[in-house]
Amino acid sequence: MRSLGHALLPLATAAMLALVGAGPAVAGPAAQAGPRSEAAVPGATAATTGHTPSLAGGAAVDSTADAAALARYWTPERMRTAIPLDGPQSSPATAQSKPGPTGRPGSTPSAAGRTDTLRPLVTESAAVGKVFFTNPGNGLNYTCSASALNSSSKQMLITAGHCVHGGSGGTWMTNWTYAPRFRSGARPFGTFAAKQFRTFNSWISSSDKGRDVAMVTTWPLNGSKIVNVTGGHGLSWNYSHEQAMTVMGYPGNRDNGQLQWACTGTTRAVGDGRLELQCDFGGGSSGGPWLREFNDANGLGQVNGAMSTLATGGWNRSSYFDDSVKAMFDAQGSVT
């Protein structure tokens, strides 16, 4: 298996989205920082850990003033030159869970979509965006994808575990912010700083690709919560591996990751318990939502996966969403 990289294989099912002008260029890396306090959430399902995000200097992002400072850090130049993050590498020695249905299928409701935004002629969603962060391990800036997830807090996103934590031997990412419906430097809804991360313990300890999922509570921006600004997807779990899906994100091998792309098709099961779809989306698409019942009229659907890796032949893979993913939602969804 290859990681989410820079392959350039053709793909008939991907749809290119509306173009906007290119953004500015050039910036340097940020300083390093270590992780902060954590609190485990045990239970019958796979355990998760929460973490307060920090700036690259180590200070926690624990006030609106810190969130504003983070917005100033992410200049157009830094966003333009951030590196699309690859997915986790394959390793025969790496332990991996093999989740499957652990109960009855279930879904949470999506939030209302925006009605005042002109819909493009091809698939795009205001509730999908680009993520920017710094890896303390090397001080470089990277990008992933994420999407707004409806919950009681109205402040939550869903992304890949490797977009918030480096996995085995790594640490928590810093300078983490989300730009919904980013387009070549344009940020029509602003940027939303991370307030709390949550991912699986088995991702943190052993880079378990079966648990490469994270949920992120964000700070409100100018008093407005992310789901109330862009709309928010619902969550689905315990469904069949074979589902009609719309996969969305910012792959670095499509328009240099500057535009939102979509791929549609029917997923299939992988022997390790995950699911896959042949989208050939490279680095930077990590964390993008795999959506059941996507509605192009409002840009919303049911998140039933999150982009994780790219295998030979252009097959992208996602962790399977079971009761443990729903438990993560229950643990994080009311955090404000």
Side-chain angles (χ1 to χ4, degrees):
M1 179 190 298
R2 293 177 291 160
S3 65
L4 283 180
H6 300 86
L8 292 172
L9 301 177
L11 175 65
T13 55
M16 186 176 74
L17 305 183
L19 297 176
V20 198
V26 190
Q32 297 185 10
R36 296 184 66 85
S37 59
E38 302 175 356
V41 177
T45 51
T48 62
T49 291
H51 172 78
T52 300
S54 65
L55 302 173
V61 183
D62 56 7
S63 71
T64 55
D66 294 327
L70 182 55
R72 290 191 297 272
Y73 172 81
W74 284 109
T75 62
E77 291 78 13
R78 284 189 171 124
M79 286 186 164
R80 177 71 175 173
T81 58
I83 303 163
L85 184 68
D86 287 346
Q89 298 286 339
S90 297
S91 171
T94 300
Q96 181 173 323
S97 58
K98 295 184 178 181
T102 49
R104 294 174 60 86
S107 295
T108 61
S110 60
R114 293 187 65 90
T115 58
D116 60 343
T117 303
L118 179 66
R119 297 293 300 155
L121 296 179
V122 290
T123 303
E124 189 181 29
S125 175
V128 176
K130 192 166 182 175
V131 171
F132 300 87
F133 56 89
T134 302
N135 184 344
N138 58 17
L140 298 178
N141 291 329
Y142 290 89
T143 68
C144 274
S145 301
S147 59
L149 189 61
N150 187 36
S151 73
S152 60
S153 75
K154 305 297 182 184
Q155 294 173 230
M156 197 158 68
L157 309 173
I158 185 167
T159 187
H162 69 269
C163 296
V164 304
H165 190 283
S168 178
T171 189
W172 298 94
M173 305 305 181
T174 62
N175 288 338
W176 207 98
T177 197
Y178 171 74
R181 212 183 65 192
F182 179 91
R183 293 175 177 171
S184 297
R187 291 172 270 170
F189 308 116
T191 54
F192 290 77
K195 188 174 187 178
Q196 189 178 88
F197 297 142
R198 184 166 298 281
T199 192
F200 285 105
N201 291 357
S202 61
W203 169 256
I204 294 170
S205 64
S206 60
S207 300
D208 179 356
K209 293 187 295 296
R211 296 296 184 197
D212 187 15
V213 184
M215 295 182 190
V216 180
T217 299
T218 58
W219 283 93
L221 178 63
N222 299 323
S224 297
K225 298 181 176 183
I226 182 62
V227 170
N228 294 335
V229 172
T230 66
H233 304 293
L235 179 75
S236 286
W237 63 97
N238 286 339
Y239 278 82
S240 165
H241 283 77
E242 291 76 39
Q243 292 288 317
M245 275 309 182
T246 298
V247 174
M248 309 186 80
Y250 289 81
N253 58 341
R254 303 283 188 271
D255 295 302
N256 295 316
Q258 293 299 305
L259 302 173
Q260 192 179 125
W261 274 67
C263 165
T264 61
T266 300
T267 57
R268 69 183 189 184
V270 183
D272 61 12
R274 294 185 292 163
L275 56 154
E276 65 179 6
L277 187 62
Q278 196 174 25
C279 294
D280 190 38
F281 280 3
S285 65
S286 291
W290 291 39
L291 297 160
R292 297 178 56 254
E293 301 178 350
F294 181 75
N295 182 347
D296 192 47
N298 62 14
L300 299 176
Q302 299 287 322
V303 183
N304 196 43
M307 185 70 80
S308 178
T309 60
L310 176 64
T312 302
W315 289 91
N316 287 113
R317 291 177 175 174
S318 163
S319 302
Y320 178 83
F321 279 22
D322 60 1
D323 283 336
S324 291
V325 176
K326 174 56 163 57
M328 182 191 291
F329 175 89
D330 291 340
Q332 196 62 33
S334 61
V335 174
T336 59

